[in-house]
Amino acid sequence: MRTLGHVVADRAAHDARSELIKLMREQTSNGAVISGPIGSAKTALLADVLGGEFEGAVHLLCSPILGENVFGALSPLLIDFEAQLSEISVLRYLTHRFAPTSGGSKPLVVVEEAHFLDVASAFVLSQLALAGSIRLVLLAVGQGHTEPVVASTELGARLGRISLAALSLHEVADFARQLLGGPPTSATTHSIAAACAGNPLLVSAFLRSACEQEILIESKGWYILTQSHVDNDLHLSTAVSEIQKRLNVADAKALEVLALGGAEEVSVLEEVSGADIGRLLGTGLVKYVAESRVEIAAPLYAQILRDLVPPGRSAQLWGHVSKLTPAYGSLPHSLLWACESGDSVSTERFIDAISKANDGLDFLNAWRLCQLTGALETNSDIAMHGAKAMLGLKRFQSVAGIVDRALHQCDDLRLLREFKSLRATALWHGGDTDDEIGALLQDWKVRTELIQSKDASADIAEVALNRRAIEVLELWVDLAARQDPRAILAKAQRFAASSEYGSLEYLICRDISSGIMMTLGRFVEAADTALESLKSIPSGSVNEYIAGYQVISTALRALFAVGDYAKIRALAVSHEPESPELHLIWSGTLHFWAAFSAVQEGRWKLAGKLLEEARAELAVHDPDRFFVLAEALHDYELSESSRDPACDDRGFRDNPTNRGYMGLENSDATLLAAAYRSLSRGLENTGYLQNLIEKAHVENRFHTEQQLLILLWKSASGPSKNNEGTARLQELCAPGVGRRNGALAAAVSTTASTDTTTLVNAAEELFSSGETGLGTELLAVSLQNLEGTKSERLRGVVLRKLDSWIKELGGKAWGNLAEVLNERVLTNREKEIISLVGQGLSNKEIARELVVSQRTVEGHLYRVFAKLGISGREELDGQL
């Protein structure tokens, strides 16, 4: 790991540096106030700008204690002062002390922690600066001007102002890169920024701790978090302790209260601690979460500080807070605080707090509260919440244990339904076998019937709800067993229609419907269904945590099948989850689909960048087992960009561990990986592709069959030259069914055409419909019909269009397109003639200038016009 220095990555930070340089170099400048949150690298910025001058400056360090004393800040300069202390006498003394030598510059005085500056020192320093005896720099935490002493000094000394902010995402990424020696993935950067609220001191400690705890690892040149939670250790506790020491007693106490109890009313916090909330907000350590409530801005800070508060002090603070608010303790953290302080807590308050913790995805504290109740095995509601917490923590075996114990003597149909649903969800997420899910459903049926038979007054509605839940889950079993897809689809659609919009049952049924539509080749309908499901999931909700990944995964797969590549790239950005843990898990898949889409579009620069990050992420978090396909696409991207086939022989073997979400093996990824790997090695073996296509067809993997057929169609010598499988491809790309429009189906029908206009029109339709990669390749194929001098001008027009399309896609030609575009390269003589035309010379004058015949000049211009696809001299402007 590297030693951290001052980070200037974001434009705002760069502008602050430029401003400070300009301010400090002005001859008339008296100095500056540099303000910002705690840890915002104010000292580092000043040292970076001033260099050696900073080392030679007079440094004064203020503190809460010194701030309470007259001339406390100036005390290091007054050791030899013998006169009676007064503002006038101290001012005279320091004016003499700071008198510049002949030809020397004004001394620089740097006051750190200037928000603790005492009034007397502030007056003297401002007068010295105003008189030109010194240049004064105040380094203040917060907004600076909110502190009266700093504000009056700034105004009195006529100082400039530089305001810094917490680190932006770009700066966090740059900070991490400097420390680690390599870039963090975007999801890792988001997780770090969210945990630390952009505080550089916390970011630095987080990175060091995560590396030592081996949860921040290197993967293919990138650094990625394996989990978002980091345990308390020396690095983190030291960083938090140092920040606490820089606060006055009241502010430090307020932060302790917030760390122990979570969000708090401003009025209560001010009364308990005596803190100035406005000043605390300026430090960047707290933020508003409601109109009158604040909390610690960095979750990591709250986590560490909670552990640093001694038990005795914690109990003392709880006593103060609980007296002010007798009903205090409905939030998870405050209830934990109450329990730890020895308060008696009712079961109702426990259940309320645990429910809030689960709903807020705070599963760890929900589980801690469940354990504190001591009623996990005796209270069904607490057991239910405990199982939900374990599900959120992905401890699926623990879910099974809690459910089995709770159902041992259960005769309540509502509890039976909820517990069995939780157990089924745990099996679903854990990738357990169909036999286990089948056994669970069978036991569920038996128990339902048994309870109903024992109690004639059993709630009929609850019996119906149990049976319905069983039927919904049986859909998954039938789907995995590849039962009649149309029958499953009809049942799933019927259940979805009668489910509450956005409920888990609704999402399951809609996702099953989308999946079956994909197997039936109804890609457009599948995409629309999946997108509607996605809209129904609130960001940050429990349903997003449980089913969000599956729903967005299906949506991305369906959108890819319909060729809506731009929508995929937009979704990959707009649907990044708020939860850092989910973001880490989803990110590789989101980047993968965005990269795969960019490959199809011919946006090879973008594809290369996205694939690099996706491969690194999928090597760590790969719910759908896309890593093997991402590696194959990476090799294919290299071969298409450099024309050098990949030499890494990884091979593709059936691997029983290649099981994706819900334990399903990702055969689609394996088939596509095999195809792209063969193409990246330059193996134009249509027989091999045909075998893969046949396998996809037999297994009803029609979206994969479609993609393989597209590869076959274009693989030999360009799209129009390979007519094998075109009828099937047209069927899978039928407008309104397989694609939203008929551009691809129409282009496939041009297979046997040798008419340039037909091919160009088909290419333009593809390009405008979003199939930009195929459109560009088909346009290049049309050039094969334009050989000879008679077609020279038209060939130039097509080449011009081809060049403009490639530039629109990022400017990186692929395959043989770079070779094709070489035809547009001008010779030195042609460039010279264009330059002379640009100067207004006629052909005759150019001939005289170059000492050649006029006919030679005209011949050169004719070839230039043909190469560039233009019709005359007036279009030459800007062509060099």
Side-chain angles (χ1 to χ4, degrees):
M1 289 172 58
R2 300 182 178 184
T3 302
L4 280 169
H6 174 60
V7 178
V8 181
D10 188 76
R11 177 168 182 165
H14 178 74
D15 289 347
R17 185 179 186 279
S18 301
E19 259 186 80
L20 185 59
I21 290 173
K22 181 180 177 182
L23 188 61
M24 298 305 292
R25 286 179 180 174
E26 287 180 359
Q27 293 296 322
T28 58
S29 171
N30 293 332
V33 174
I34 305 175
S35 63
I38 286 182
S40 53
K42 298 177 285 292
T43 304
L45 173 63
L46 185 63
D48 180 45
V49 168
L50 297 180
E53 187 181 359
F54 177 81
E55 297 298 325
V58 175
H59 292 269
L60 301 175
L61 178 62
C62 299
S63 70
I65 295 176
L66 289 176
E68 295 175 359
N69 297 321
V70 178
F71 297 113
L74 291 176
S75 55
L77 302 178
L78 301 177
I79 295 174
D80 298 328
F81 185 75
E82 296 179 351
Q84 185 176 356
L85 283 174
S86 70
E87 291 177 348
I88 298 301
S89 61
V90 171
L91 179 60
R92 286 174 178 168
Y93 174 77
L94 292 180
T95 299
H96 176 73
R97 174 168 178 165
F98 288 127
T101 57
S102 178
S105 60
K106 290 188 290 185
L108 175 67
V109 177
V110 178
V111 181
E112 299 189 46
E113 307 290 333
H115 44 287
F116 294 125
L117 187 62
D118 62 278
V119 175
S121 297
F123 172 79
V124 171
L125 289 170
S126 62
Q127 292 303 307
L128 288 170
L130 192 61
S133 300
I134 62 171
R135 283 191 304 161
L136 177 63
V137 177
L138 304 182
L139 304 179
V141 167
Q143 299 302 315
H145 58 270
T146 61
E147 295 294 337
V149 176
V150 175
S152 63
T153 306
E154 176 187 349
L155 183 64
R158 298 179 185 175
L159 303 177
R161 166 171 290 283
I162 305 293
S163 296
L164 302 182
L167 295 180
S168 67
L169 277 175
H170 291 300
E171 289 176 305
V172 169
D174 217 37
F175 208 109
R177 186 194 301 267
Q178 288 189 30
L179 183 63
L180 303 169
T185 63
S186 57
T188 295
T189 300
H190 274 86
S191 294
I192 296 169
C196 303
N199 187 303
L201 298 178
L202 288 180
V203 171
S204 175
F206 182 103
L207 291 169
R208 296 178 190 280
S209 298
C211 286
E212 288 187 8
Q213 294 174 30
E214 297 183 345
I215 62 169
L216 181 60
I217 61 175
E218 190 274 335
S219 175
K220 295 188 176 294
W222 294 75
Y223 281 86
I224 182 167
L225 283 168
T226 59
Q227 61 182 49
S228 60
H229 178 79
V230 60
D231 293 329
N232 192 358
D233 66 3
L234 183 61
H235 296 299
L236 291 169
S237 58
T238 299
V240 171
S241 296
E242 286 301 315
I243 293 174
Q244 287 290 107
K245 289 176 184 177
R246 293 174 62 179
L247 302 170
N248 63 31
V249 174
D251 290 351
K253 184 177 182 180
L255 285 172
E256 289 175 335
V257 171
L258 291 175
L260 292 165
E264 185 52 87
E265 291 289 335
V266 169
S267 57
V268 172
L269 192 62
E270 288 180 330
E271 187 166 350
V272 169
S273 66
D276 182 336
I277 302 303
R279 182 174 62 234
L280 264 180
L281 289 167
T283 66
L285 295 174
V286 302
K287 65 178 182 180
Y288 272 105
V289 290
E291 187 176 341
S292 61
R293 294 176 71 83
V294 293
E295 69 178 8
I296 293 179
L300 181 65
Y301 195 96
Q303 170 194 321
I304 304 306
L305 182 55
R306 196 177 303 126
D307 290 342
L308 290 178
V309 179
R313 179 163 176 77
S314 174
Q316 181 187 42
L317 290 172
W318 169 252
H320 294 323
V321 172
S322 58
K323 284 179 183 177
L324 289 172
T325 52
Y328 195 84
S330 60
L331 293 176
H333 282 302
S334 61
L335 195 63
L336 283 168
W337 188 14
C339 293
E340 290 166 357
S341 300
D343 267 22
S344 176
V345 177
S346 67
T347 301
E348 290 73 19
R349 283 176 66 194
F350 265 123
I351 291 174
D352 183 37
I354 296 167
S355 178
K356 286 178 180 176
N358 276 329
D359 289 344
L361 309 185
D362 186 6
F363 301 116
L364 185 59
N365 279 321
W367 178 244
R368 289 176 64 192
L369 286 168
C370 286
Q371 291 177 305
L372 285 172
T373 66
L376 261 171
E377 297 188 13
T378 58
N379 186 298
S380 297
D381 287 328
I382 290 174
M384 182 75 66
H385 288 300
K388 289 179 181 178
M390 286 291 98
L391 183 63
L393 293 170
K394 297 181 174 58
R395 297 176 187 173
F396 304 123
Q397 290 302 317
S398 296
V399 174
I402 294 171
V403 169
D404 290 344
R405 286 191 296 273
L407 290 179
H408 184 61
Q409 297 291 337
C410 178
D411 56 1
D412 185 301
L413 286 168
R414 177 188 66 83
L415 292 174
L416 175 66
R417 174 170 52 85
E418 293 187 7
F419 275 119
K420 286 293 188 182
S421 296
L422 282 170
R423 180 75 177 97
T425 304
L427 287 172
W428 177 45
H429 278 270
D432 285 341
T433 66
D434 296 335
D435 289 341
E436 288 177 280
I437 296 177
L440 178 143
L441 293 175
Q442 183 59 34
D443 180 68
W444 192 349
K445 288 179 186 177
V446 171
R447 281 176 175 266
T448 302
E449 292 170 1
L450 184 62
I451 293 172
Q452 187 182 17
S453 65
K454 284 182 177 180
D455 184 3
S457 63
D459 190 337
I460 296 174
E462 271 299 337
V463 172
L465 287 173
N466 272 270
R467 288 174 177 167
R468 178 187 174 93
I470 291 169
E471 287 187 80
V472 168
L473 291 171
E474 282 178 332
L475 291 174
W476 280 113
V477 178
D478 293 343
L479 184 63
R482 300 190 175 275
Q483 300 291 331
D484 180 4
R486 287 177 174 80
I488 299 173
L489 176 59
K491 190 181 290 187
Q493 289 177 321
R494 187 173 70 252
F495 281 139
S498 58
S499 299
E500 181 184 352
Y501 179 78
S503 66
L504 188 58
E505 182 182 283
Y506 171 88
L507 294 173
I508 291 173
C509 293
R510 296 275 293 189
D511 191 66
I512 290 172
S513 299
S514 298
I516 294 174
M517 289 170 189
M518 291 290 286
T519 67
L520 296 174
R522 293 156 56 179
F523 306 142
V524 172
E525 196 177 351
D528 291 342
T529 300
L531 287 174
E532 184 62 32
S533 299
L534 201 56
K535 289 179 185 177
S536 73
I537 304 177
S539 179
S541 66
V542 174
N543 277 354
E544 181 185 56
Y545 201 91
I546 293 175
Y549 179 85
Q550 177 64 18
V551 173
I552 196 170
S553 179
T554 300
L556 292 168
R557 190 159 46 98
L559 287 169
F560 191 85
V562 300
D564 203 343
Y565 307 124
K567 181 70 172 177
I568 288 172
R569 289 189 286 107
L571 270 184
V573 174
S574 65
H575 277 71
E576 292 177 342
E578 291 180 9
S579 161
E581 194 70 33
L582 287 187
H583 197 174
L584 289 171
I585 295 169
W586 291 25
S587 186
T589 300
L590 295 177
H591 280 138
F592 164 78
W593 281 112
F596 204 178
S597 296
V599 167
Q600 305 306 308
E601 292 177 293
R603 301 181 187 276
W604 291 90
K605 283 185 178 178
L606 177 62
K609 180 181 177 182
L610 289 168
L611 274 172
E612 288 290 343
E613 191 165 359
R615 290 166 60 237
E617 292 175 310
L618 292 174
V620 180
H621 302 289
D622 189 12
D624 268 342
R625 300 299 185 264
F626 281 128
F627 179 72
V628 67
L629 179 52
E631 289 288 274
L633 283 173
H634 173 68
D635 288 348
Y636 181 66
E637 183 263 332
L638 289 177
S639 68
E640 287 292 282
S641 300
S642 65
R643 307 310 297 156
D644 292 329
C647 58
D648 183 14
D649 185 13
R650 297 181 184 87
F652 286 88
R653 298 179 296 276
D654 289 335
N655 186 347
T657 64
N658 269 0
R659 297 167 66 80
Y661 201 68
M662 299 176 301
L664 298 177
E665 181 179 343
N666 198 336
S667 297
D668 298 293
T670 303
L671 288 170
L672 288 172
Y676 278 104
R677 185 61 53 76
S678 69
L679 292 174
S680 69
R681 291 170 179 163
L683 303 176
E684 295 177 354
N685 184 347
T686 57
Y688 182 60
L689 282 177
Q690 286 282 15
N691 289 337
L692 295 175
I693 290 166
E694 179 63 23
K695 181 169 179 158
H697 181 78
V698 169
E699 295 179 359
N700 291 334
R701 303 182 186 281
F702 295 152
H703 56 291
T704 299
E705 181 188 5
Q706 179 206 61
Q707 182 60 26
L708 292 170
L709 283 167
I710 291 173
L711 290 176
L712 179 66
W713 179 55
K714 70 174 192 170
S715 64
S717 303
S720 73
K721 295 300 182 182
N722 194 328
N723 59 10
E724 297 180 60
T726 53
R728 176 60 177 162
L729 182 53
Q730 283 179 289
E731 181 184 345
L732 289 173
C733 296
V737 180
R739 281 293 204 269
R740 295 198 185 278
N741 57 61
L744 183 52
V748 173
S749 69
T750 65
T751 294
S753 176
T754 57
D755 180 61
T756 300
T757 302
T758 299
L759 293 174
V760 170
N761 289 340
E764 289 176 337
E765 283 294 317
L766 281 173
F767 197 90
S768 62
S769 71
E771 291 281 2
T772 49
L774 283 177
T776 303
E777 292 178 27
L778 186 57
L779 186 66
V781 167
S782 71
L783 291 168
Q784 296 174 13
N785 299 328
L786 296 174
E787 303 291 345
T789 55
K790 290 184 178 180
S791 304
E792 201 170 4
R793 181 65 58 85
L794 180 57
R795 186 177 180 85
V797 172
V798 174
L799 281 168
R800 183 181 184 182
K801 184 184 292 291
L802 184 65
D803 183 59
S804 70
W805 282 6
I806 291 173
K807 286 177 180 175
E808 186 177 332
L809 297 175
K812 187 172 183 178
W814 68 94
N816 64 351
L817 295 182
E819 185 179 337
V820 172
L821 288 176
N822 281 338
E823 293 183 34
R824 301 191 83 236
V825 177
L826 300 172
T827 65
N828 289 334
R829 176 62 88 182
E830 288 166 347
K831 291 178 182 177
E832 189 176 16
I833 290 172
I834 291 176
S835 177
L836 293 172
V837 169
Q839 295 173 32
L841 274 65
S842 67
N843 290 354
K844 186 175 182 179
E845 290 169 330
I846 293 172
R848 187 181 304 118
E849 176 75 18
L850 299 178
V851 194
V852 296
S853 70
Q854 184 173 335
R855 184 167 185 145
T856 298
V857 173
E858 291 169 351
H860 279 303
L861 283 173
Y862 177 82
R863 285 187 291 277
V864 167
F865 296 160
K867 282 183 179 182
L868 301 181
I870 58 179
S871 56
R873 292 166 62 102
E874 63 277 2
E875 295 181 59
L876 280 174
D877 187 36
Q879 293 297 324
L880 278 182

